[in-house]
Amino acid sequence: MAGHTENSITVDAPFDLVWEMTNDLENWPRLFSEYASVDILSREGDTTTFRLTMHPDENGKVWSWVSERTPDRAKRSVRARRVETGPFARMDILWEYETVPGGIEMRWTQDFAMKPDAPVDDDWMTDNINRNSRTQMALIRDKIEQAARENETASVASSR
C-alpha cells in the first residue's frame, strides 16, 4: 500500500512573490510554523540538498531529515524527495503553481509509503499530512498575502 495526498490553496498575490517566498529555503522557519531550522548541505545546479529540523513534538521528540529539492520556474513546479527517509520507505513531493481567478493556486502532491516497522501506517500518515498541509498552506497564504499588501503600500508610497 502507499499514501497519496493532494492539497491546494489560492494565494492572492503575484506569481513572482509566491514563488520567491515559498522557494526561499533559508526563510522556511519563518514561513512554516513547524520548522525550527533549515541547513543547506549542498547546491548542484538547480538542486538543493538540505536538512529540515522540526520543533519538538508533543512528546518532546525532534524530527529531522535530509531532502533534495529542484525548482523549475519555467514549468512553475518543484520536485522534492526525502534522501534520509526515516520512517518512510519513500517520500516524493510535487509543488505546482497555477494562475487562477483570485491569484496563484499552490498545489502540494505527496506520494509516499511507510516502512513496515514505522510507528504509523500509510493511512495514519495520509490523514496527518492532509491535516498539516492545510494548516501550513493557510499560514503561508496569509504571510504571502501580507507581504503583497506591504509591497503594494510601499509601491504606492514611493510613486507619490
Side-chain angles (χ1 to χ4, degrees), residues 60-117:
K61 174 141 176 70
V62 174
W63 297 92
S64 180
W65 63 90
V66 173
S67 288
E68 178 179 275
R69 184 175 172 82
T70 307
D72 185 335
R73 188 180 182 113
K75 291 183 180 176
R76 293 182 165 210
S77 67
V78 180
R79 292 201 174 272
R81 68 181 185 91
R82 281 195 182 197
V83 177
E84 283 181 5
T85 58
F88 293 90
R90 65 178 173 79
M91 168 60 89
D92 298 304
I93 303 168
L94 174 64
W95 285 20
E96 296 171 292
Y97 303 80
E98 181 180 349
T99 301
V100 298
I104 302 299
E105 180 186 62
M106 182 173 62
R107 186 177 321 107
W108 296 350
T109 304
Q110 294 175 271
D111 289 298
F112 61 91
M114 302 307 295
K115 290 179 180 173
D117 62 345

